[in-house]
Amino acid sequence: MGGKSEVPLLDKNGKRIDGRDLEELRPVKMEVGVLKKADGSAYVEWGGNKVIAAVYGPREVLPKHLANPYKAVLKYRYNMAPFSVDDRKRPGPDRRSIEISKISREALERVVMLEYFPNTMIDVFVEILQADAGTRCAALTAASLALADAGIPMRDVVAACAAGKIDGKVVLDLKKEEDNYGEADMPIAISPRTGEIVLFQMDGLMTKDEYMKALRLAVEGARKINEIQKETLKDKYKITNLSGGDNNE
Ligand code: CDP
């Protein structure tokens, strides 16, 4: 992220390096219930990102002294696999993953009904298997699906998306080269029902008008992501036999 890039990110027709229009999302695929042992799980492919989320709980708080008699403790671990990026990533937590875990947990604390489960812990793990920018958004989107899959009561399903600026233009959903060589990147997450912004970050520079446009784009992007989340959950949990009669499938 820095000044105007030496590498052209838009072609003469205004198309992006992967052929997308300025306001176009990368292809997104979602699935829930992908892990047997977890209480809830989800897999999200978002452009070149591949992310898996697992939820355990509400369960016993460990270490015990962290227990809160008024509400559940929510934990969130964002982790990048060593093979998820071009250069091998050193395994284990680093400043970046600790920051992403913190802001993602805070986003989910706005919607998860923690007050229903005092003296318990809800663990959310997200593993980035393949990274191509926007992994914190893909991770939070997957985590929210996994929480829903675990049947944990929530006010809403959090959806995330980034917008930013490349070659002087405001664009939706930056990929790696656009994030690296572009001028700004602004990941956000929303609670779609209320419209509340539950995560907001920005890297780089934009004018006020560009910022307003990027915010609108990112919120619209997150709403599209939320539609896919809802379809994914509906598909998984749809009742195929309402008659209650014989079903020999
Ligand atoms: O992934 P996200 O956009 O949320 O976070 P970022 O810190 O802006 O990182 C952007 C991208 O840089 C990641 O998605 C990875 O593709 C890449 N990256 C990397 O190659 N090695 C790292 N240690 C961290 C990030």
Side-chain angles (χ1 to χ4, degrees):
M1 191 80 36
K4 201 163 162 66
S5 101
E6 320 259 291
V7 186
L9 295 170
L10 293 172
D11 72 11
K12 57 182 184 338
N13 302 316
K15 296 268 185 200
R16 296 158 71 177
I17 44 179
D18 55 3
R20 271 186 296 158
D21 290 324
L22 301 180
E23 303 191 2
E24 196 177 334
L25 275 175
R26 290 175 284 180
V28 180
K29 276 200 285 189
M30 300 181 192
E31 203 182 330
V32 286
V34 293
L35 299 172
K36 272 222 170 76
K37 295 213 169 131
D39 295 318
S41 57
Y43 174 69
V44 170
E45 267 184 32
W46 183 332
N49 294 314
K50 294 187 178 181
V51 173
I52 200 152
V55 167
Y56 290 83
R59 65 180 176 181
E60 190 187 353
V61 188
L62 287 173
K64 278 199 167 69
H65 72 267
L66 291 181
N68 183 329
Y70 300 106
K71 58 178 189 174
V73 174
L74 183 69
K75 288 200 171 177
Y76 189 105
R77 191 187 79 159
Y78 165 103
N79 184 56
M80 266 186 152
F83 52 81
S84 63
V85 290
D86 295 337
D87 311 314
R88 173 181 179 275
K89 193 217 160 264
R90 198 159 162 254
D94 51 23
R95 275 182 60 164
R96 175 178 171 277
S97 66
I98 292 167
E99 171 214 313
I100 295 176
S101 300
K102 177 183 185 284
I103 51 142
S104 306
R105 172 175 52 76
E106 288 169 353
L108 290 175
E109 281 172 346
R110 303 292 301 169
V111 299
V112 178
M113 291 167 154
L114 298 170
E115 62 279 14
Y116 283 14
F117 306 103
N119 289 312
T120 70
M121 176 168 88
I122 298 169
D123 270 311
V124 181
F125 298 96
V126 193
E127 294 290 316
I128 309 300
L129 306 177
Q130 191 173 285
D132 188 26
T135 58
R136 72 195 67 202
C137 292
L140 193 48
T141 297
S144 202
L145 275 179
L147 282 162
D149 184 46
I152 291 177
M154 292 192 284
R155 292 176 190 89
D156 208 351
V157 174
V158 165
C161 193
K165 184 180 169 190
I166 60 166
D167 281 1
K169 296 264 191 255
V170 174
V171 296
L172 183 66
D173 186 23
L174 284 72
K175 76 187 283 352
K176 175 97 190 311
E177 295 76 2
E178 296 175 330
D179 184 326
N180 283 176
Y181 304 113
E183 289 116 85
D185 183 30
M186 191 177 82
I188 63 133
I190 57 168
S191 167
R193 209 167 45 80
T194 60
E196 184 187 2
I197 292 177
V198 293
L199 180 150
F200 181 95
Q201 294 189 295
M202 190 169 128
D203 190 10
L205 290 174
M206 283 192 273
T207 65
K208 189 176 169 198
D209 285 349
E210 287 165 347
Y211 157 76
M212 293 305 290
K213 188 171 178 189
L215 183 60
R216 179 183 58 74
L217 266 189
V219 170
E220 277 170 16
R223 289 201 177 280
K224 284 185 192 145
I225 292 296
N226 185 241
E227 288 306 312
I228 309 173
Q229 285 175 311
K230 287 194 287 193
E231 284 310 311
T232 307
L233 288 167
K234 271 191 215 154
D235 272 359
K236 167 85 179 182
Y237 290 106
K238 73 180 163 210
I239 300 167
T240 45
N241 181 10
L242 281 175
S243 68
D246 290 342
N247 184 351
N248 297 325
E249 262 185 358

